Amino acid sequence: MSLVKLIAQADERGLAASGLACLDRCLPLLVEDTEVLRPLWAGVVAGERDWPGRLEASTRALDSAVEAEAFAGAAEVSVDEAAALVRSMLGAAPSEWAAGPLRDWADACSLAALDIHHRFDSAGEGGSPEAAERLARAREDNAVVADAVDGAEGTDGVGPLVAGELRRQIRILEILAEPGGGTGAAGVRQVMDLSTEGQRVLRAVVSRRARARS
């Protein structure tokens, strides 16, 4: 099933986890303390009861972390640009635990995360209308993901970083759509593990680009 369809069918917890995971994977572009959003993951597990308060607390914590330790090695993506993209994800998070606003947020986070990864891929044209159109097609066509698996740029211009991010986004929503998978801590833990893997990938790419430029 395509990423677009998975987002359309996800429940509140799946949508919240999907959006948060996209943000979590991109944190290395903004701060070194990638644990700063861990309390919000607990809000995903608890759902409507804890989400608003934990969202507010996490927003404050991220703002403090950004002021204390802005990550300065973002290669072609400037610190200010990365900060705007990543912080906009959390800033747009709805305090209301409802499918409508959470779906809008998850969709926006999906696009933002793919755009960030595209900026570090070989094409490197993130933010352009052509890139936005290419990413929109990739979210609707699973063949694009398989096409770039071998590490080469796909036939639709989708590079390996974007393909990897697409696979993680799809897998996260699949995990949380499994019977019982989206209702407790076990499914969320799997999602967090996938997100941590994505953090490592993006951090490694950023570090390589920074070394190459030095």
Side-chain angles (χ1 to χ4, degrees):
M1 188 180 298
S2 73
L3 177 58
V4 169
K5 289 182 179 178
L6 285 167
I7 292 174
Q9 295 180 11
D11 63 9
E12 291 89 344
R13 185 165 285 105
L15 294 166
S18 176
L20 179 55
C22 289
L23 168 59
D24 201 53
R25 285 190 296 280
C26 296
L27 272 183
L29 294 177
L30 184 58
V31 293
E32 293 184 54
D33 180 11
T34 54
E35 300 292 311
V36 69
L37 295 180
R38 291 289 167 162
L40 191 52
W41 283 108
V44 172
V45 175
E48 184 175 7
R49 183 188 63 209
D50 286 1
W51 175 258
R54 289 184 180 273
L55 176 60
E56 183 179 355
S58 294
T59 301
R60 291 196 303 268
L62 182 59
D63 287 342
S64 297
V66 168
E67 292 176 6
E69 51 160 286
F71 183 64
E76 289 93 343
V77 183
S78 71
V79 174
D80 288 344
E81 190 172 12
L85 286 168
V86 179
R87 293 179 79 173
S88 68
M89 295 188 210
L90 187 58
S95 59
E96 181 184 4
W97 186 263
L102 285 169
R103 183 167 290 108
D104 290 342
W105 181 58
D107 193 61
C109 288
S110 167
L111 285 167
L114 290 168
D115 181 48
I116 286 170
H117 283 74
H118 190 64
R119 290 165 189 263
F120 287 99
D121 241 330
S122 56
E125 56 180 11
S128 71
E130 293 79 9
E133 182 179 350
R134 187 175 296 120
L135 293 176
R137 289 198 303 269
R139 294 170 79 239
E140 295 178 354
D141 184 5
N142 283 357
V144 171
V145 179
D147 198 32
V149 163
D150 62 358
E153 184 173 305
T155 56
D156 199 32
V158 170
L161 281 178
V162 170
E165 173 62 13
L166 274 167
R167 286 195 297 274
R168 280 184 284 274
Q169 290 189 22
I170 289 170
R171 182 58 188 143
I172 282 168
L173 286 162
E174 287 175 343
I175 289 170
L176 295 168
E178 292 171 359
T183 61
V188 174
R189 168 53 61 185
Q190 292 183 62
V191 169
M192 292 173 67
D193 289 344
L194 278 172
S195 187
T196 299
E197 172 192 302
Q199 282 183 1
R200 288 195 296 265
V201 170
L202 191 56
R203 191 189 296 277
V205 171
V206 169
S207 296
R208 284 198 300 270
R209 296 286 180 94
R211 287 195 300 271
R213 289 167 63 88
S214 62

